[in-house]
Amino acid sequence: MTTGVGAGPVDAEQSPAALLKTLDAGAVTLESGLLAERQAVNRRSALPHGLRMLEEAGNLDNLRIASGHQPGRFRGRVFMDSDVYKWLEAAAWETARAPSAELAQRSERLIELVAAAQGDDGYIGSYYTVAEPGRRWTDLTHGHELYCAGHLVQAAIAWRRATGDDRLLAIARRFVDLVHAEFGPGRRETTDGHAEIETALIELYRDTGERRHLDLAAFFLDQRGRGRIGPNRHDSLAAFQDRVPVREAMTVEGHAVRALYLATGVADLYLATGDPALLETLTRQWEDMVESKLYLTGGVGARHLAESFGQPYELPNDLAYSETCGAIASIMWSWRMLLATKQSRFADLIERTLYNAVLAGVSLDGERYFYVNPLASNGEPEHLHRGGCRRKPWHLVACCPPNVMRLLASLAHYVATRDASGLQIHQYAAARIAGPRATLRIGTAFPRDGRIRIEIEETTDEPWTLALRMPDWCAGASARVNGREADASAADGYLRLARPWARGDVVDLDLPMPARCVEAHPWIESTRGCVAIERGPLVYCLEQADHPDARVADLEIDAEAPLTSSWEPELLDGVTVVRARGWAVDTSAWRGRLYRPIATAAAARRPVALTAIPYYAWANREPGAMGVWIPRGKDRP
């Protein structure tokens, strides 16, 4: 069985338990608007920049040395190869979207380099080939060998599905054959410290129909909770998701990216097998994350220590880790949960995470990146750890930049799905969708504007259902068909329009998106007494550049005053700005003091106008302070 060229990153057609099926990779084309612009910058700037950085950081030299093409010493971390594979995956989806001779030539050279670095037995791993020959598979906790293999498999599948080119897939399958020979019952009974191989093997099963890949993925998942990954530097099995078996897990814990990559693999196993215990544990963990461990932006990971989730409601703002890769992993997991359940809450979280936690991870020019994404900054450079108020061109641990590239290149995959009843639209963007029953064109300026027009360009004669997600942030949504109020039903967070469709039919969907103030659970200490500003799916922040006469840390907001919005086409590549009324508190009496007896009179303050920009756009001007959560002030007599 082969699925043929066309499937996207997840082939739900080959997933029996998926209630929703994915569309082919080329079925959806983003045409304009914020997501299309970010995708265009990704192709035009980020991919060439990323290739230059892979050269400068030593990733490509490591493979050249491993192949015997040049002498030298290994540079970087043990997982350097994975960044090359993620770049190749991004290039594959971009090649499918818009073929380019230059991009094809660059990719061709990389594929040839990977092929040259492969050993006679199929092994590829520049670190263990160059730096520690003879020590393969001896440090599964930190060695990332299976993690790198997983990213190679995903890149290879992307190339075959996007272009029909299976040369990289042949390389990956040789490596996977070696993994089969090394791991499994009666062989090495353990797994990688960083989950990734599981979801890659299941996608390879979907692509080839070879059951052994699914069985090996299930084997790796079942090794969790047996204490076989440690000991480790953090002295905690929880850090590596090895404390409890996957079917018994009640919470998300430990290293946030590893935890959510693992959950993604478990979700893939559910989609392939329909094992209800897997969906039950996934639902418990997802709800634990959303109800007590999720930042307003959709970011995950509260602690710099072990890059991990913290305790429930432990969500510091300035010390938020919120790694960009964690946000991407969250989207991967929620996408599979959406396919499994049809429930809009998973698409809601994808939207929140994409527009805030992911887009904030890369600069507007596509050439600078955040590894961590705090929700507050004092504007000072960070010298002790990752973070601070400036993105970097690259990182010593550069997992995030190429991860952003591959997600943005495959964004269209997450827009729509199909089932026996018709077509479902999960994310709104100006796009053309060629489904099996109809071809649609969506016109919208979303998220700048909540007005969405869907025109039927081609359709079959049989009736079918168009399902439109009603975002959880929206109240008062309405829809019209050909100018008349729609005859629709609602279920699982979707407005469902079931009817015979004709060419030229038009659906007008109106999603009101006034700016609004939101508050956090009172158990979150860092946000107590504060509010944040949202508009549509976007989280907003105050940035120092917009408040030259007051420190961001001194600002308060009048949460009872109206918020106003205006489109600023020349600011930050075009953003909707939200303005509020507030005050700047006079903190001069604290000069030279850190603590003092409680004051009997309120501090002096003066009225100021607050200007909020979308969080994703912060740190694209001069360095300065930023805050998402704003202390709530009150009028005084």
Side-chain angles (χ1 to χ4, degrees):
M1 176 190 71
T2 58
T3 60
V5 178
V10 179
D11 185 2
E13 185 67 30
Q14 305 304 322
S15 302
L19 300 182
L20 299 176
K21 303 299 183 182
T22 49
L23 301 178
D24 287 348
V28 180
T29 303
L30 301 177
E31 296 187 325
S32 63
L34 179 59
L35 294 185
E37 292 164 4
R38 294 291 87 211
Q39 193 172 63
V41 169
N42 187 55
R43 181 194 181 98
R44 182 176 65 248
S45 300
L47 263 70
H49 171 79
L51 193 56
R52 292 193 298 271
M53 293 297 101
L54 290 172
E55 190 70 77
E56 291 181 15
N59 303 66
L60 304 186
D61 276 345
N62 290 338
L63 288 169
R64 293 185 187 110
I65 298 166
S67 70
H69 287 175
Q70 73 180 44
R73 296 169 61 90
F74 182 91
R75 284 193 287 157
R77 301 298 181 92
V78 295
F79 40 75
M80 297 288 276
D81 295 355
S82 66
D83 299 331
V84 178
Y85 303 147
K86 282 183 275 190
W87 188 95
L88 276 169
E89 183 181 346
W93 300 127
E94 277 299 328
T95 299
R97 192 172 70 87
S100 157
E102 183 179 10
L103 185 58
Q105 186 180 48
R106 290 173 173 174
S107 302
E108 173 84 18
R109 288 197 294 265
L110 284 196
I111 293 172
E112 291 175 352
L113 180 56
V114 173
Q118 186 164 38
D120 293 339
D121 61 354
Y123 183 85
I124 308 178
S126 64
Y127 177 79
Y128 285 99
T129 299
V130 174
E132 294 195 79
R135 288 185 51 81
R136 297 179 190 174
W137 317 123
T138 59
D139 184 7
L140 271 295
T141 303
H142 303 111
H144 287 71
E145 289 165 278
L146 294 174
Y147 168 86
C148 290
H151 279 299
L152 171 61
V153 169
Q154 289 179 317
I157 291 172
W159 272 100
R160 195 194 72 77
R161 290 180 179 174
T163 69
D165 185 343
D166 61 1
R167 289 172 299 166
L168 191 58
L169 185 60
I171 297 167
R173 292 179 72 171
R174 284 188 63 210
F175 194 4
V176 169
D177 286 343
L178 177 64
V179 173
H180 276 285
E182 292 284 340
F183 295 89
R187 298 183 291 283
R188 295 180 187 268
E189 296 191 357
T190 184
T191 189
D192 200 282
H194 197 310
E196 161 65 16
I197 187 65
E198 300 87 352
T199 194
L201 284 171
I202 295 172
E203 204 60 49
L204 186 60
Y205 160 70
R206 292 177 179 135
D207 206 69
T208 65
E210 294 184 37
R211 176 79 191 198
R212 66 187 183 120
H213 302 316
L214 177 63
D215 292 340
L216 185 58
F219 168 83
F220 282 137
L221 290 169
D222 286 339
Q223 298 309 299
R224 303 280 170 173
R226 302 186 183 189
R228 291 178 173 174
I229 300 175
N232 59 72
R233 60 186 172 181
H234 302 299
D235 194 30
S236 169
L237 295 175
F240 291 79
Q241 295 75 51
D242 199 25
R243 188 178 65 85
V244 294
V246 293
R247 288 172 176 78
E248 299 174 18
M250 303 295 292
T251 65
V252 288
E253 63 182 23
H255 189 286
V257 178
R258 297 175 195 232
L260 300 196
Y261 271 39
L262 178 65
T264 299
V266 176
D268 275 320
L269 186 60
Y270 169 76
L271 292 173
T273 66
D275 180 349
L278 297 176
L279 186 58
E280 290 170 8
T281 190
L282 288 167
T283 302
R284 288 195 303 264
Q285 291 179 78
W286 192 89
E287 291 175 349
D288 172 63
M289 179 181 75
V290 170
E291 293 173 8
S292 66
K293 298 175 181 176
L294 186 76
Y295 281 100
L296 183 67
T297 58
V300 292
R303 296 183 180 180
H304 283 239
L305 176 64
E307 304 178 313
S308 65
F309 288 102
Q311 296 290 344
Y313 307 102
E314 180 188 342
L315 293 165
N317 291 319
D318 54 344
L319 293 179
Y321 204 71
S322 190
E323 183 182 341
T324 304
C325 280
I328 294 169
S330 175
I331 288 175
M332 290 161 47
W333 180 20
S334 287
W335 177 243
R336 288 156 174 82
M337 296 296 285
L338 175 62
L339 298 177
T341 67
K342 293 187 176 183
Q343 295 175 10
S344 66
R345 59 178 177 162
F346 301 111
D348 287 334
L349 182 56
I350 290 172
E351 179 184 66
R352 176 175 294 276
T353 306
L354 172 61
Y355 280 105
N356 301 292
V358 173
L359 292 189
V362 58
S363 62
L364 295 178
D365 65 10
E367 297 188 1
R368 293 171 292 131
Y369 296 88
F370 276 142
Y371 191 101
V372 303
N373 293 275
L375 277 71
S377 171
N378 64 6
E380 296 298 323
E382 177 58 62
H383 299 299
L384 296 177
H385 208 272
R386 304 183 184 107
C389 59
R390 289 287 85 183
R391 296 177 182 85
K392 296 181 179 180
W394 208 244
H395 300 284
L396 178 62
V397 177
C399 52
C400 297
N403 219 6
V404 172
M405 293 175 206
R406 69 175 184 146
L407 177 67
L408 293 180
S410 61
L411 270 183
H413 180 66
Y414 301 95
V415 170
T417 57
R418 61 180 177 82
D419 65 6
S421 69
L423 187 71
Q424 303 81 39
I425 298 178
H426 307 292
Q427 305 301 331
Y428 295 109
R432 185 175 185 272
I433 302 175
R437 296 196 182 192
T439 297
L440 318 178
R441 177 160 264 110
I442 303 176
T444 181
F446 190 90
R448 170 186 168 186
D449 190 280
R451 290 171 294 182
I452 298 156
R453 169 161 286 198
I454 303 169
E455 182 178 355
I456 309 296
E457 293 190 336
E458 301 289 343
T459 183
T460 60
D461 294 333
E462 299 82 8
W464 54 274
T465 300
L466 176 62
L468 306 173
R469 180 175 61 92
M470 299 292 99
D472 60 352
W473 48 260
C474 181
S478 62
R480 301 182 306 280
V481 177
N482 298 331
R484 298 181 179 180
E485 184 177 350
D487 181 12
S489 62
D492 295 325
Y494 289 82
L495 187 70
R496 301 184 185 277
L497 305 171
R499 54 177 283 145
W501 297 92
R503 183 176 181 179
D505 282 346
V506 173
V507 178
D508 287 299
L509 177 65
D510 187 17
L511 303 176
M513 53 170 62
R516 60 195 183 275
C517 286
V518 299
E519 60 182 355
H521 195 288
W523 292 353
I524 302 176
E525 183 178 12
S526 64
T527 57
R528 197 170 294 146
C530 298
V531 299
I533 296 172
E534 293 183 325
R535 182 178 181 274
L538 299 180
V539 173
Y540 277 68
C541 67
L542 303 183
E543 196 170 18
Q544 193 64 61
D546 300 306
H547 303 87
D549 298 327
R551 292 170 55 92
V552 166
D554 293 339
L555 297 176
E556 294 181 343
I557 187 172
D558 182 352
E560 307 302 323
L563 303 175
T564 60
S565 304
S566 62
W567 173 248
E568 303 287 347
E570 303 303 319
L571 178 65
L572 297 166
D573 290 351
V575 293
T576 297
V577 166
V578 176
R579 292 184 172 85
R581 191 178 77 182
W583 301 272
V585 178
D586 182 1
T587 56
S588 60
W590 285 90
R591 191 170 295 123
R593 295 183 178 187
L594 191 57
Y595 307 99
R596 71 178 189 187
I598 189 169
T600 57
R605 61 182 186 174
R606 57 186 172 82
V608 295
L610 306 182
T611 299
I613 63 167
Y615 171 76
Y616 77 80
W618 88 281
N620 280 281
R621 295 175 285 183
E622 67 271 15
M626 178 275 297
V628 168
W629 291 97
I630 313 164
R632 184 172 185 171
K634 295 182 179 179
D635 275 323
R636 298 174 188 170

